[in-house]
Amino acid sequence: MHICGELLCKMFSCPGKNSGIERRYVHLDEELLGAHPDFSDRALPTLDARIDMASAAVPELAASAAARAIAEWGRPAADVTHLVFSTYSGGKAPSADLRLASLLGLRPTVSRTILSLNGCSGGGRALQLAKELAENNRGARVLVACSELTLIGFYGPQEGRLDTILGNGIFGDGAGAVIVGADPVDCIERPLFEMAFATQTTIPETENEITTRLMKGGLDFHVSIRVPKLLKSNIERCLIDTFKSIGISAEWNDLFWAIHPGGRAILDHVEQLLGLGVEKLAASRRVLREYGNMSAATVIFVLDELRRRRARGEEVAEWGVMMAFGPGITIETMVLHAAGSLKEN
Ligand SMILES: CC(C)(COP(=O)(O)OP(=O)(O)OC[C@H]1O[C@@H](n2cnc3c(N)ncnc32)[C@H](O)[C@@H]1OP(=O)(O)O)[C@@H](O)C(=O)NCCC(=O)NCCSC(=O)/C=C/c1ccc(O)cc1
């Protein structure tokens, strides 16, 4: 796995002091908002304009992250055999993945899959899919790219909808990219993480807790106040079942953790539930603090942060867990092994 996170956006903002977020980056700056004042009012029909803007910016942001991931990988872009692309900022076909393939100069036979509206679990799903593609196609090299722009669903506060303020307060823009393969070529490819085992779980009867819907005024997000507690009640079962499936018994504090920082309360609940030491979620908290919740791209930033910490000589456990949460409520869980070369970076 070769990883890169990328931000191309222009403006930063600071939500409330309890959010755990110090800054975020957004494409929709004051100049663009000045040109589209109707974006602030979700009752106005702005979807077309938002889709046009996102269709241009989403693949460019993705290309910037992917170009860096490919450069670190060390092989030409033409060696990419598959592309898995995740975004909630789509709305057109052909989708941003085709434009991304063209911007990167991928081969015309590259096998493309787009994940749309998977929300914050999209990064975890894309990586699981890439793992399966890589393991089942000899020599495959899968580019995973997640690119999210909040402009598709940004609008002003609405009476009786505190959750829209929450969405505008914690979401940020960003793109992450990873190259996944199953059989690294010696001396050229230096794997960072091995994806040992992956599962997806849906919490029963929670389909209305995290939702998005394309409306004439843009993408309407709803995140219920129950989400942190619902995750808290279900995460440990997922972890126990996942580790049982691979026959490893794990002490939670002996692992490294790449938890999707969907919000400060989610990290607090996970930390408390699993009895984790304060340093265990430091990578997730740093990404939340510096970038906010970038939906699918966020877990890639967390993996990148863990990689950087290891490179700086900080102690990172050999085995770890990545978890991402999205509409469903869907929990994507992956057991990771820090590959040998990570220690030498
Ligand atoms: C940092 C927060 C936002 C605020 O923390 P706080 O400052 O300590 O404050 P409180 O938690 O006490 O909340 C302040 C007020 O907001 C209210 N509130 C608090 N969450 C809420 C609420 N979801 N509704 C509606 N009122 C609320 C809460 O009741 C309270 O109201 P009040 O007592 O009247 O002041 C914290 O609540 C928090 O981290 N919450 C979890 C955030 C969360 O669920 N994140 C989403 C995870 S899932 C995800 O990321 C996927 C997104 C997605 C992306 C793209 C897609 O296409 C699809 C999906």
Side-chain angles (χ1 to χ4, degrees):
M1 204 194 264
H2 297 254
I3 306 167
C4 245
E6 184 67 356
L7 301 144
L8 263 189
C9 313
K10 300 167 193 162
M11 189 177 89
F12 68 84
S13 55
C14 306
K17 62 180 164 52
N18 285 340
S19 65
I21 302 170
E22 283 179 12
R23 67 195 117 245
R24 294 169 296 153
Y25 298 80
V26 292
H27 182 80
L28 192 65
D29 61 7
E30 276 145 0
E31 193 185 329
L32 281 172
L33 258 183
H36 293 275
D38 48 349
F39 277 22
S40 318
D41 185 348
R42 72 185 284 276
L44 297 175
T46 54
L47 185 60
D48 277 2
R50 291 176 195 263
I51 286 177
D52 284 347
M53 216 183 267
S55 301
V58 165
E60 277 184 25
L61 186 58
S64 181
R68 283 177 50 194
I70 290 168
E72 285 209 27
W73 170 43
R75 290 177 57 180
D79 287 359
V80 171
T81 56
H82 296 72
L83 170 62
V84 180
F85 186 79
S86 181
T87 188
Y88 65 74
S89 314
K92 257 187 176 179
S95 314
D97 60 328
L98 183 64
R99 176 77 184 131
L100 173 63
S102 154
L103 287 170
L104 294 172
L106 303 186
R107 50 167 94 158
T109 56
V110 71
S111 180
R112 293 177 288 108
T113 305
I114 183 153
L115 305 178
S116 187
L117 293 175
N118 283 51
C120 300
S121 53
R125 181 90 306 257
L127 287 169
Q128 289 203 24
L129 189 56
K131 168 178 161 57
E132 282 161 28
L133 289 168
E135 287 170 352
N136 290 294
N137 294 277
R138 188 181 289 273
R141 289 297 178 271
V142 187
L143 169 62
V144 170
C146 303
S147 181
E148 309 285 26
L149 289 190
T150 49
L151 67 85
I152 199 84
F154 169 85
Y155 34 75
Q158 203 192 337
E159 190 71 34
R161 288 286 308 270
L162 201 52
D163 61 333
T164 62
I165 301 177
L166 175 122
N168 284 332
I170 64 174
F171 287 114
D173 298 357
V178 176
I179 302 283
V180 177
D183 47 359
V185 177
D186 278 350
C187 307
I188 301 177
E189 296 178 307
R190 294 180 310 142
L192 298 172
F193 295 102
E194 290 161 27
M195 296 188 273
F197 187 70
T199 60
Q200 183 189 68
T201 307
T202 310
I203 308 177
E205 291 169 31
T206 57
E207 56 268 36
N208 296 322
E209 305 293 339
I210 304 175
T211 59
T212 51
R213 184 188 166 100
L214 276 171
M215 316 274 279
K216 67 176 182 187
L219 195 67
D220 186 39
F221 287 97
H222 163 68
V223 179
S224 104
I225 196 168
R226 290 182 291 275
V227 170
K229 284 204 175 119
L230 283 165
L231 290 172
K232 188 176 180 185
S233 321
N234 287 277
I235 276 176
E236 196 163 29
R237 182 78 264 147
C238 283
L239 290 165
I240 291 168
D241 290 349
T242 302
F243 277 92
K244 206 169 156 193
S245 303
I246 49 173
I248 295 179
S249 75
E251 287 291 329
W252 304 142
N253 270 303
D254 291 344
L255 303 172
F256 66 84
W257 291 88
I259 298 287
H260 167 63
R264 193 219 71 238
I266 292 174
L267 296 180
D268 290 351
H269 278 74
V270 172
E271 188 177 275
Q272 191 194 42
L273 168 81
L274 303 177
L276 297 178
V278 281
E279 79 290 354
K280 286 290 168 185
L281 297 187
S284 296
R285 289 195 193 276
R286 179 172 188 276
V287 170
L288 183 67
R289 187 171 67 243
E290 297 298 322
Y291 308 105
N293 177 351
M294 297 167 289
S295 198
T298 323
V299 283
I300 297 179
F301 275 64
V302 177
L303 293 173
D304 199 20
E305 177 62 22
L306 284 165
R307 182 264 294 255
R308 286 168 199 273
R309 283 168 187 254
R310 188 97 181 231
R312 288 200 301 263
E314 287 179 33
E315 186 74 7
V316 174
E318 186 178 352
W319 289 90
V321 176
M322 185 195 73
M323 287 186 121
F325 323 111
I329 292 175
T330 306
I331 303 177
E332 303 281 359
T333 306
M334 190 176 285
V335 178
L336 296 170
H337 182 247
S341 60
L342 190 60
K343 293 168 197 158
E344 292 148 28
N345 275 342

